[in-house]
Amino acid sequence: MDILKSLFPFSFKVKEKDTNALVISIIIYVVLMVLSGVAMTLLGLIPVVNLLVGIVGWVLEVYCLTGIVLAVLNFLNVLK
């Protein structure tokens, strides 16, 4: 669990029944997803880096989605 806490710091700042922290955490992750999508689109136009940008972008999108799920689970007090 300590590894998850170090990898997803915004997700574990959310406490039970603290909706403000949950909303802020979700907004941070969504903004990061949008910015990575824009960067993937712009850098994906370059043929040489297209594959690398796609892989890095996919990993970043999975990271953000996992962070959102962990924040919600932490908000619902499922994680100990």
Side-chain angles (χ1 to χ4, degrees):
M1 190 61 103
D2 292 332
I3 296 172
L4 282 178
K5 286 182 180 180
S6 66
L7 287 176
F8 299 97
F10 295 117
S11 298
F12 287 98
K13 289 183 181 177
V14 176
K15 301 297 177 201
E16 185 179 7
K17 297 183 181 177
D18 187 9
T19 55
N20 289 336
L22 177 67
V23 169
I24 289 171
S25 177
I26 290 174
I27 287 173
I28 288 171
Y29 282 121
V30 168
V31 166
L32 186 60
M33 289 173 78
V34 168
L35 290 176
S36 71
V38 169
M40 284 188 328
T41 303
L42 293 176
L43 293 174
L45 297 174
I46 303 169
V48 176
V49 252
N50 189 11
L51 180 65
L52 181 63
V53 168
I55 292 171
V56 171
W58 181 80
V59 169
L60 190 59
E61 299 282 333
V62 170
Y63 171 81
C64 291
L65 185 62
T66 305
I68 291 172
V69 169
L70 286 174
V72 171
L73 288 176
N74 203 21
F75 176 76
L76 297 174
N77 204 19
V78 174
L79 301 175
K80 299 287 179 183

XYZ file of all heavy atoms in Angstrom:
614
model
N 0.814 -1.185 0.000
C 0.000 0.000 0.000
C 0.866 1.261 0.000
O 0.458 2.273 -0.521
C -0.915 -0.022 1.218
C -1.959 1.054 1.178
S -3.063 0.936 -0.195
C -4.473 0.269 0.567
N 2.058 1.155 0.588
C 2.955 2.316 0.604
C 3.415 2.690 -0.795
O 3.603 3.870 -1.092
C 4.160 2.039 1.494
C 3.780 1.935 2.963
O 2.780 2.572 3.342
O 4.477 1.227 3.708
N 3.573 1.688 -1.648
C 3.972 1.958 -3.029
C 2.865 2.715 -3.752
O 3.125 3.678 -4.481
C 4.321 0.649 -3.763
C 5.544 -0.001 -3.121
C 4.564 0.903 -5.240
C 5.855 -1.382 -3.644
N 1.611 2.304 -3.547
C 0.494 3.009 -4.169
C 0.396 4.441 -3.664
O 0.104 5.352 -4.431
C -0.817 2.273 -3.897
C -1.097 1.041 -4.727
C -2.405 0.409 -4.288
C -1.144 1.365 -6.197
N 0.639 4.640 -2.384
C 0.568 5.986 -1.826
C 1.646 6.894 -2.404
O 1.425 8.088 -2.581
C 0.682 5.943 -0.304
C -0.568 5.430 0.359
C -0.442 5.453 1.860
C -1.717 4.919 2.489
N -1.652 4.919 3.951
N 2.797 6.329 -2.716
C 3.848 7.160 -3.303
C 3.610 7.399 -4.797
O 4.023 8.422 -5.327
C 5.211 6.521 -3.076
O 5.308 5.301 -3.789
N 2.953 6.468 -5.476
C 2.687 6.637 -6.904
C 1.483 7.531 -7.185
O 1.426 8.203 -8.213
C 2.460 5.276 -7.564
C 3.685 4.400 -7.752
C 3.267 3.044 -8.319
C 4.690 5.058 -8.656
N 0.502 7.519 -6.299
C -0.729 8.284 -6.494
C -0.969 9.213 -5.301
O -1.855 8.972 -4.478
C -1.926 7.329 -6.653
C -1.826 6.418 -7.826
C -1.348 5.123 -7.683
C -2.200 6.847 -9.084
C -1.249 4.279 -8.764
C -2.106 6.002 -10.173
C -1.627 4.722 -10.021
N -0.197 10.301 -5.197
C -0.317 11.156 -4.006
C -1.657 11.894 -3.914
O -2.176 12.088 -2.815
C 0.839 12.131 -4.151
C 1.148 12.149 -5.602
C 0.818 10.774 -6.106
N -2.236 12.306 -5.037
C -3.504 13.035 -4.996
C -4.655 12.132 -4.593
O -5.621 12.585 -3.999
C -3.801 13.681 -6.350
C -2.817 14.749 -6.717
C -2.011 14.603 -7.823
C -2.686 15.893 -5.959
C -1.097 15.573 -8.162
C -1.781 16.868 -6.282
C -0.982 16.714 -7.402
N -4.569 10.868 -4.911
C -5.654 9.944 -4.601
C -5.759 9.669 -3.111
O -6.849 9.481 -2.584
C -5.450 8.623 -5.342
O -5.472 8.830 -6.726
N -4.637 9.643 -2.430
C -4.662 9.301 -1.013
C -4.761 10.526 -0.109
O -4.782 10.392 1.108
C -3.442 8.447 -0.662
C -3.566 7.060 -1.207
C -2.949 6.708 -2.393
C -4.332 6.117 -0.557
C -3.080 5.437 -2.913
C -4.470 4.835 -1.062
C -3.840 4.501 -2.246
N -4.841 11.726 -0.686
C -5.139 12.912 0.113
C -6.635 13.036 0.363
O -7.060 13.816 1.201
C -4.624 14.171 -0.585
C -3.126 14.290 -0.571
C -2.667 15.571 -1.197
C -1.151 15.633 -1.180
N -0.656 16.839 -1.845
N -7.420 12.262 -0.374
C -8.866 12.282 -0.221
C -9.231 11.482 1.027
O -8.835 10.341 1.177
C -9.559 11.682 -1.465
C -11.054 11.610 -1.268
C -9.205 12.469 -2.702
N -9.978 12.108 1.914
C -10.437 11.434 3.127
C -11.930 11.126 2.995
O -12.623 11.666 2.140
C -10.192 12.308 4.364
C -8.740 12.674 4.559
C -7.892 11.456 4.803
C -6.428 11.848 4.925
N -5.525 10.784 4.691
N -12.401 10.276 3.873
C -13.810 9.887 3.841
C -14.695 11.101 4.097
O -14.449 11.897 4.995
C -14.062 8.827 4.902
C -15.469 8.278 4.872
C -15.704 7.212 5.921
O -14.825 6.995 6.754
O -16.772 6.613 5.897
N -15.720 11.254 3.280
C -16.714 12.330 3.354
C -16.117 13.722 3.107
O -16.679 14.720 3.526
C -17.443 12.298 4.688
C -18.238 11.032 4.892
C -18.989 11.069 6.187
C -19.750 9.757 6.361
N -20.442 9.693 7.626
N -14.989 13.796 2.439
C -14.383 15.077 2.076
C -14.565 15.271 0.571
O -13.684 14.958 -0.221
C -12.905 15.092 2.455
C -12.272 16.455 2.261
O -13.009 17.427 1.992
O -11.043 16.547 2.382
N -15.734 15.783 0.197
C -16.068 15.886 -1.223
C -15.198 16.900 -1.947
O -14.929 16.731 -3.133
C -17.553 16.249 -1.415
O -17.842 17.445 -0.699
C -18.442 15.134 -0.931
N -14.763 17.955 -1.260
C -13.914 18.952 -1.916
C -12.602 18.333 -2.384
O -12.152 18.583 -3.504
C -13.627 20.120 -0.975
C -14.846 20.976 -0.748
O -15.753 21.008 -1.572
N -14.878 21.657 0.382
N -11.984 17.538 -1.527
C -10.724 16.893 -1.904
C -10.939 15.900 -3.038
O -10.092 15.776 -3.927
C -10.111 16.190 -0.698
N -12.073 15.200 -3.022
C -12.375 14.252 -4.103
C -12.534 14.971 -5.426
O -11.958 14.558 -6.439
C -13.632 13.442 -3.777
C -14.089 12.466 -4.851
C -13.072 11.345 -5.019
C -15.455 11.906 -4.523
N -13.284 16.052 -5.430
C -13.512 16.808 -6.666
C -12.208 17.400 -7.183
O -11.920 17.343 -8.390
C -14.582 17.901 -6.436
C -14.648 18.853 -7.610
C -15.937 17.268 -6.187
N -11.389 17.936 -6.302
C -10.111 18.520 -6.723
C -9.196 17.443 -7.302
O -8.548 17.651 -8.334
C -9.442 19.251 -5.545
C -10.218 20.526 -5.226
C -7.992 19.581 -5.854
C -9.781 21.216 -3.961
N -9.169 16.285 -6.667
C -8.342 15.190 -7.163
C -8.803 14.725 -8.540
O -7.983 14.512 -9.447
C -8.381 14.027 -6.171
O -7.661 12.936 -6.648
N -10.104 14.586 -8.717
C -10.636 14.165 -10.019
C -10.355 15.216 -11.083
O -9.984 14.881 -12.213
C -12.143 13.844 -9.909
C -12.331 12.570 -9.092
C -12.779 13.701 -11.280
C -13.773 12.226 -8.793
N -10.495 16.490 -10.732
C -10.224 17.564 -11.697
C -8.757 17.548 -12.117
O -8.439 17.715 -13.301
C -10.623 18.937 -11.113
C -12.143 19.051 -11.083
C -10.014 20.079 -11.910
C -12.660 20.290 -10.386
N -7.851 17.332 -11.170
C -6.423 17.275 -11.508
C -6.151 16.150 -12.492
O -5.443 16.327 -13.494
C -5.576 17.126 -10.232
C -5.587 18.430 -9.453
C -4.148 16.724 -10.567
C -4.956 18.337 -8.082
N -6.718 14.975 -12.221
C -6.485 13.839 -13.111
C -7.131 14.052 -14.489
O -6.548 13.693 -15.513
C -6.992 12.549 -12.488
C -6.069 11.994 -11.430
C -6.514 11.794 -10.132
C -4.747 11.676 -11.726
C -5.668 11.285 -9.159
C -3.899 11.176 -10.761
C -4.362 10.977 -9.487
O -3.521 10.478 -8.533
N -8.312 14.655 -14.531
C -8.977 14.890 -15.824
C -8.208 15.922 -16.643
O -8.046 15.761 -17.862
C -10.448 15.304 -15.608
C -11.063 15.833 -16.881
C -11.250 14.125 -15.079
N -7.722 16.971 -15.995
C -6.920 17.976 -16.709
C -5.646 17.346 -17.262
O -5.246 17.615 -18.398
C -6.613 19.177 -15.790
C -5.530 20.061 -16.367
C -7.877 19.971 -15.530
N -5.033 16.483 -16.467
C -3.837 15.779 -16.940
C -4.156 14.886 -18.138
O -3.378 14.816 -19.092
C -3.232 14.959 -15.807
C -1.902 14.283 -16.080
C -0.839 15.309 -16.435
C -1.467 13.473 -14.878
N -5.319 14.243 -18.116
C -5.726 13.401 -19.243
C -5.969 14.242 -20.498
O -5.569 13.849 -21.598
C -6.986 12.612 -18.890
C -6.761 11.521 -17.880
S -8.277 10.741 -17.321
C -8.612 9.669 -18.711
N -6.603 15.388 -20.334
C -6.868 16.265 -21.489
C -5.563 16.799 -22.066
O -5.367 16.803 -23.293
C -7.814 17.418 -21.078
C -7.872 18.482 -22.149
C -9.203 16.883 -20.782
N -4.662 17.250 -21.188
C -3.377 17.768 -21.678
C -2.559 16.679 -22.370
O -1.912 16.941 -23.390
C -2.585 18.372 -20.527
C -3.132 19.668 -19.941
C -2.299 20.103 -18.746
C -3.193 20.746 -20.991
N -2.600 15.460 -21.839
C -1.868 14.383 -22.512
C -2.519 14.030 -23.844
O -1.828 13.685 -24.802
C -1.783 13.154 -21.617
O -3.042 12.523 -21.493
N -3.828 14.124 -23.922
C -4.511 13.883 -25.194
C -4.141 14.905 -26.249
O -3.913 14.567 -27.414
N -4.055 16.160 -25.841
C -3.650 17.218 -26.778
C -2.209 17.007 -27.226
O -1.886 17.119 -28.418
C -3.838 18.610 -26.128
C -3.184 19.698 -26.958
C -5.305 18.904 -25.919
N -1.341 16.683 -26.277
C 0.063 16.446 -26.625
C 0.204 15.231 -27.535
O 1.004 15.235 -28.479
C 0.894 16.249 -25.361
N -0.585 14.176 -27.275
C -0.528 12.986 -28.142
C -0.994 13.320 -29.553
O -0.442 12.817 -30.523
C -1.400 11.860 -27.568
C -0.786 11.154 -26.407
S -1.659 9.678 -25.843
C -3.357 9.988 -26.167
N -2.021 14.148 -29.645
C -2.525 14.525 -30.967
C -1.488 15.328 -31.738
O -1.249 15.065 -32.925
C -3.817 15.343 -30.821
O -4.770 14.568 -30.095
C -4.386 15.708 -32.172
N -0.884 16.303 -31.078
C 0.091 17.149 -31.762
C 1.365 16.387 -32.111
O 1.886 16.507 -33.215
C 0.419 18.365 -30.908
C -0.716 19.364 -30.709
C -0.277 20.472 -29.764
C -1.179 19.931 -32.039
N 1.878 15.616 -31.171
C 3.108 14.869 -31.428
C 2.862 13.627 -32.280
O 3.790 13.101 -32.883
C 3.781 14.478 -30.114
C 4.332 15.640 -29.289
C 4.841 15.133 -27.956
C 5.417 16.361 -30.051
N 1.630 13.171 -32.319
C 1.301 12.012 -33.151
C 1.353 12.314 -34.637
O 1.376 11.400 -35.460
N 1.382 13.580 -34.981
C 1.477 13.962 -36.393
C 2.867 13.709 -36.960
O 3.038 13.633 -38.171
C 1.096 15.436 -36.561
C -0.345 15.791 -36.173
C -0.551 17.295 -36.238
C -1.339 15.058 -37.062
N 3.858 13.597 -36.092
C 5.228 13.313 -36.517
C 5.361 11.802 -36.678
O 5.196 11.054 -35.728
C 6.246 13.830 -35.479
C 6.042 15.330 -35.242
C 7.665 13.541 -35.934
C 6.820 15.866 -34.067
N 5.628 11.329 -37.883
C 5.616 9.881 -38.126
C 6.640 9.085 -37.311
O 6.371 7.970 -36.913
C 5.925 9.765 -39.614
C 5.672 11.097 -40.198
C 5.857 12.083 -39.106
N 7.780 9.639 -37.045
C 8.834 8.894 -36.377
C 8.488 8.642 -34.909
O 8.724 7.572 -34.367
C 10.181 9.652 -36.497
C 11.274 8.953 -35.733
C 10.552 9.829 -37.955
N 7.889 9.621 -34.255
C 7.592 9.507 -32.834
C 6.160 9.067 -32.555
O 5.766 8.985 -31.402
C 7.832 10.843 -32.108
C 9.013 10.843 -31.246
C 7.790 12.012 -33.011
N 5.412 8.742 -33.567
C 4.007 8.404 -33.414
C 3.808 7.205 -32.480
O 2.969 7.247 -31.581
C 3.385 8.132 -34.780
C 1.890 7.990 -34.711
O 1.289 8.279 -33.694
N 1.302 7.556 -35.798
N 4.546 6.144 -32.669
C 4.392 4.948 -31.849
C 4.801 5.203 -30.400
O 4.089 4.818 -29.464
C 5.217 3.792 -32.432
C 5.140 2.484 -31.663
C 3.732 1.920 -31.712
C 6.134 1.498 -32.224
N 5.920 5.890 -30.203
C 6.396 6.177 -28.851
C 5.416 7.077 -28.098
O 5.119 6.845 -26.919
C 7.777 6.823 -28.906
C 8.413 7.169 -27.566
C 8.662 5.911 -26.755
C 9.690 7.928 -27.781
N 4.898 8.085 -28.768
C 3.936 8.993 -28.150
C 2.654 8.234 -27.807
O 2.059 8.450 -26.747
C 3.636 10.185 -29.084
C 2.440 10.973 -28.616
C 4.846 11.080 -29.185
N 2.252 7.332 -28.644
C 1.062 6.537 -28.374
C 1.215 5.667 -27.144
O 0.307 5.569 -26.318
N 2.363 5.042 -26.988
C 2.611 4.178 -25.824
C 2.677 5.003 -24.539
O 2.034 4.661 -23.535
C 3.906 3.366 -26.031
C 3.709 2.363 -27.154
C 4.310 2.664 -24.752
C 4.979 1.663 -27.588
N 3.424 6.100 -24.565
C 3.543 6.954 -23.375
C 2.189 7.570 -23.030
O 1.806 7.636 -21.850
C 4.619 8.043 -23.589
C 4.598 9.067 -22.467
C 5.988 7.411 -23.719
N 1.451 7.991 -24.019
C 0.132 8.561 -23.777
C -0.840 7.554 -23.195
O -1.612 7.868 -22.292
N -0.779 6.319 -23.696
C -1.655 5.264 -23.172
C -1.332 4.971 -21.709
O -2.242 4.830 -20.882
C -1.485 4.005 -24.025
C -2.348 2.888 -23.584
C -3.673 2.715 -23.857
C -1.948 1.781 -22.770
N -4.108 1.566 -23.273
C -3.090 0.972 -22.590
C -0.755 1.400 -22.189
C -3.053 -0.203 -21.839
C -0.726 0.235 -21.437
C -1.859 -0.548 -21.280
N -0.059 4.921 -21.373
C 0.352 4.672 -19.984
C -0.117 5.814 -19.084
O -0.607 5.589 -17.969
C 1.880 4.483 -19.900
C 2.356 4.502 -18.458
C 2.290 3.194 -20.571
N -0.005 7.049 -19.557
C -0.444 8.196 -18.771
C -1.957 8.196 -18.570
O -2.452 8.518 -17.478
C 0.003 9.494 -19.436
C -0.171 10.765 -18.639
C 0.606 10.680 -17.328
C 0.293 11.955 -19.439
N -2.705 7.817 -19.584
C -4.162 7.735 -19.463
C -4.574 6.657 -18.461
O -5.476 6.858 -17.661
C -4.797 7.447 -20.830
C -4.538 8.515 -21.880
C -5.417 9.736 -21.725
O -6.528 9.603 -21.188
O -4.979 10.817 -22.151
N -3.898 5.513 -18.484
C -4.184 4.444 -17.517
C -3.827 4.900 -16.110
O -4.557 4.620 -15.146
C -3.437 3.150 -17.906
C -3.511 2.113 -16.800
C -3.994 2.581 -19.191
N -2.722 5.623 -15.964
C -2.321 6.161 -14.662
C -3.398 7.091 -14.106
O -3.764 7.011 -12.932
C -0.984 6.895 -14.790
C -0.591 7.659 -13.549
C 0.002 6.999 -12.472
C -0.814 9.033 -13.449
C 0.359 7.698 -11.323
C -0.465 9.724 -12.315
C 0.121 9.055 -11.259
O 0.460 9.742 -10.127
N -3.907 7.972 -14.934
C -4.924 8.922 -14.489
C -6.224 8.218 -14.129
O -6.859 8.542 -13.120
C -5.174 9.974 -15.567
S -3.809 11.101 -15.806
N -6.623 7.259 -14.931
C -7.843 6.511 -14.642
C -7.698 5.734 -13.340
O -8.622 5.699 -12.517
C -8.177 5.575 -15.805
C -9.490 4.825 -15.687
C -10.655 5.798 -15.657
C -9.636 3.860 -16.831
N -6.548 5.129 -13.119
C -6.293 4.407 -11.871
C -6.307 5.370 -10.683
O -6.829 5.047 -9.620
C -4.945 3.671 -11.939
O -4.925 2.832 -13.088
C -4.711 2.843 -10.700
N -5.760 6.551 -10.862
C -5.770 7.557 -9.802
C -7.180 7.986 -9.428
O -7.496 8.156 -8.247
N -8.049 8.142 -10.423
C -9.436 8.502 -10.155
C -10.138 7.384 -9.397
O -10.855 7.621 -8.421
C -10.167 8.846 -11.464
C -9.638 10.154 -12.039
C -11.675 8.942 -11.238
C -10.151 10.486 -13.417
N -9.930 6.146 -9.818
C -10.553 5.007 -9.147
C -10.061 4.904 -7.703
O -10.860 4.681 -6.779
C -10.285 3.698 -9.932
C -10.694 2.484 -9.132
C -11.012 3.719 -11.265
N -8.773 5.077 -7.477
C -8.240 5.016 -6.117
C -8.773 6.152 -5.248
O -9.032 5.964 -4.054
C -6.715 5.049 -6.142
C -6.025 3.769 -6.588
C -4.525 3.995 -6.698
C -6.321 2.631 -5.633
N -8.956 7.329 -5.825
C -9.507 8.455 -5.060
C -10.940 8.166 -4.629
O -11.325 8.429 -3.488
C -9.447 9.735 -5.887
N -11.723 7.608 -5.532
C -13.112 7.276 -5.191
C -13.152 6.168 -4.144
O -13.935 6.229 -3.184
C -13.907 6.891 -6.460
C -15.267 6.329 -6.101
C -14.058 8.093 -7.373
N -12.310 5.151 -4.297
C -12.267 4.067 -3.320
C -11.809 4.582 -1.952
O -12.327 4.145 -0.912
C -11.361 2.949 -3.792
C -11.871 2.092 -4.946
C -10.810 1.088 -5.363
C -13.166 1.406 -4.584
N -10.872 5.493 -1.937
C -10.418 6.090 -0.685
C -11.514 6.942 -0.069
O -11.687 6.983 1.150
C -9.155 6.896 -0.916
C -8.339 7.067 0.328
O -8.469 6.306 1.270
N -7.499 8.077 0.328
N -12.284 7.648 -0.897
C -13.407 8.462 -0.423
C -14.483 7.582 0.204
O -15.088 7.951 1.212
C -13.989 9.265 -1.593
C -15.210 10.054 -1.239
C -15.091 11.229 -0.517
C -16.460 9.644 -1.636
C -16.213 11.972 -0.196
C -17.586 10.384 -1.316
C -17.472 11.548 -0.597
N -14.716 6.427 -0.374
C -15.730 5.497 0.149
C -15.196 4.651 1.293
O -15.907 3.791 1.796
C -16.241 4.602 -0.976
C -16.960 5.320 -2.110
C -17.286 4.346 -3.224
C -18.218 6.005 -1.602
N -13.951 4.874 1.680
C -13.277 4.158 2.776
C -13.200 2.658 2.533
O -13.326 1.857 3.447
C -13.963 4.463 4.113
C -13.037 4.251 5.275
O -11.819 4.216 5.106
N -13.588 4.118 6.460
N -12.967 2.274 1.291
C -12.775 0.872 0.954
C -11.317 0.487 1.185
O -11.024 -0.630 1.610
C -13.186 0.607 -0.512
C -12.857 -0.803 -0.937
C -14.663 0.911 -0.698
N -10.398 1.416 0.947
C -8.976 1.161 1.139
C -8.595 1.417 2.592
O -9.068 2.342 3.220
C -8.147 2.068 0.228
C -8.413 1.931 -1.265
C -7.608 2.976 -2.010
C -8.060 0.553 -1.734
N -7.733 0.605 3.092
C -7.283 0.769 4.495
C -5.887 1.330 4.535
O -5.031 1.039 3.834
C -7.324 -0.572 5.222
C -8.700 -1.159 5.290
C -9.540 -0.413 6.271
C -10.944 -1.039 6.270
N -11.847 -0.404 7.090
